[in-house]
Amino acid sequence: MEHLLNCMKIIGDDTIQRTQLTHRIELVKTFQIKKGMKVLEIGCGQGDTTVVLADAVGETGSVVAIDIASTEYGAPITLGEAAETISQSPLGQRIDFHYETDFLQMVFEEKFDVVVLSHCSWYFESIELLKKYLQKIKQIADRICFAEWDIDYTSDAQRAHFCAANIAALYTAFTENEGNIQNLFHKTQIKELMLSEGFSIKVEQTVDASYLQDGSWEVDYSNYLLNEFPDVPTKIQSLIRSYAYLMNEQTKPILSLNSFVLCADL
């Protein structure tokens, strides 16, 4: 943990980053990343999972980390600032960052041992786009590791996060925006997509993420969105308000949704 924290740009107290890294470490363990592997990470963001992957592949391995977002995206630390700090760290020589990069347009001369999509699928504007990604992944790797929030929540304390995610998805459906929730994909939908593209599920696991701060962040953001909605049909207004009541009338402290992990081979 400490050597990973030392590779990252942190403003103020490191509590948030320490908590986020704890979860990424558990995800990468589930991915079964080994020393010497060549890994492609799609949707790397500020590099939370990237540094853990780079540590896992060791000195003989490598990570190509890509994201379609601009280096100016993100707050209080931008993607560019985060990547620059990581690149100058002891792990930097194992990582090749590419921002403002469309995976579907990239040309790869060599294959990877595994392609990782960790908590990035909700950014996809459609299931059709995600399908195109899987079709290209098949050309460059024989294994995919996929992690995302699990909307099959198992605790009443996770209900608020579930409702907040739905409010954000509904907002996206009626506005043009770059919010971090464009779609909510259920794990069964992802499994069916993988199977339809010829992948065989080898690992299916739930990873505890309830202790993360994301649930509270999403609730705060969705309460802000409630005052930003454009005119929507009456029935949609009713649905939004119902989610809002369920979200804000939760009496238990907010817990984040868990993560589901799917690892599949061709």
Side-chain angles (χ1 to χ4, degrees):
M1 172 65 74
E2 300 306 321
H3 73 282
L4 294 178
L5 286 169
N6 289 334
C7 294
M8 308 190 76
K9 186 176 181 65
I10 298 171
I11 297 177
D13 184 83
D14 68 4
T15 301
I16 291 176
Q17 193 62 67
R18 187 178 293 272
T19 303
Q20 294 290 325
L21 275 176
T22 297
H23 183 55
R24 269 60 181 194
I25 290 170
E26 290 306 309
L27 289 179
V28 172
K29 286 180 181 177
T30 308
F31 296 161
Q32 301 175 9
I33 303 297
K34 296 179 173 59
K35 301 291 184 184
M37 278 188 167
K38 290 183 60 178
V39 178
L40 172 65
E41 183 192 8
I42 297 174
C44 63
Q46 293 171 319
D48 289 5
T49 305
T50 313
V51 294
V52 184
L53 290 169
D55 186 53
V57 300
E59 294 181 359
T60 59
S62 62
V63 179
V64 175
I66 68 173
D67 202 297
I68 202 165
S70 163
T71 54
E72 301 303 315
Y73 181 80
I77 300 170
T78 67
L79 273 59
E81 290 170 337
E84 182 179 4
T85 300
I86 294 170
S87 296
Q88 294 174 356
S89 77
L91 291 178
Q93 61 184 0
R94 308 177 194 176
I95 305 169
D96 186 13
F97 282 106
H98 296 267
Y99 289 104
E100 297 182 68
T101 299
D102 183 352
F103 168 66
L104 296 179
Q105 301 300 319
M106 291 187 75
V107 176
F108 300 96
E109 297 181 356
E110 297 182 86
K111 295 191 71 171
F112 294 88
D113 294 299
V114 60
V115 175
V116 170
L117 292 91
S118 181
H119 283 276
C120 69
S121 69
W122 285 8
Y123 286 85
F124 280 67
E125 62 185 25
S126 67
I127 191 69
E128 290 76 20
L129 180 59
L130 187 53
K131 182 175 182 177
K132 290 180 180 179
Y133 269 61
L134 290 186
Q135 290 171 343
K136 182 163 183 175
I137 288 170
K138 291 192 299 182
Q139 301 172 21
I140 60 171
D142 294 329
R143 183 172 178 81
I144 182 171
C145 293
F146 190 104
E148 192 52 87
W149 299 111
D150 189 351
I151 55 177
D152 279 338
Y153 63 90
T154 56
S155 167
D156 288 344
Q158 295 171 316
R159 185 184 73 190
H161 189 188
F162 170 81
C163 293
N166 277 275
I167 291 171
L170 285 166
Y171 179 77
T172 300
F174 289 94
T175 61
E176 290 291 334
N177 71 89
E178 297 181 351
N180 62 349
I181 299 180
Q182 299 292 315
N183 274 286
L184 301 185
F185 296 120
H186 188 275
K187 58 191 172 189
T188 300
Q189 191 175 14
I190 302 301
K191 286 172 60 178
E192 290 175 348
L193 183 59
M194 286 182 174
L195 293 172
S196 72
E197 290 302 321
F199 286 95
S200 175
I201 309 295
K202 300 300 183 181
V203 176
E204 181 177 356
Q205 188 169 326
T206 300
V207 177
D208 180 29
S210 60
Y211 57 89
L212 293 178
Q213 304 94 339
D214 298 66
S216 295
W217 293 341
E218 293 292 356
V219 168
D220 289 343
Y221 180 60
S222 291
N223 273 318
Y224 162 77
L225 290 181
L226 290 174
N227 298 316
E228 300 295 317
F229 265 87
D231 291 334
V232 296
T234 302
K235 291 182 179 180
I236 298 298
Q237 291 178 20
S238 178
L239 178 60
I240 293 166
R241 287 298 166 188
S242 294
Y243 278 129
Y245 291 137
L246 285 169
M247 178 176 72
N248 291 316
E249 291 182 3
Q250 176 176 304
T251 57
K252 296 180 179 180
I254 298 169
L255 294 182
S256 294
L257 296 168
N258 293 322
S259 297
F260 71 84
V261 170
L262 296 172
C263 297
D265 296 345
L266 285 175

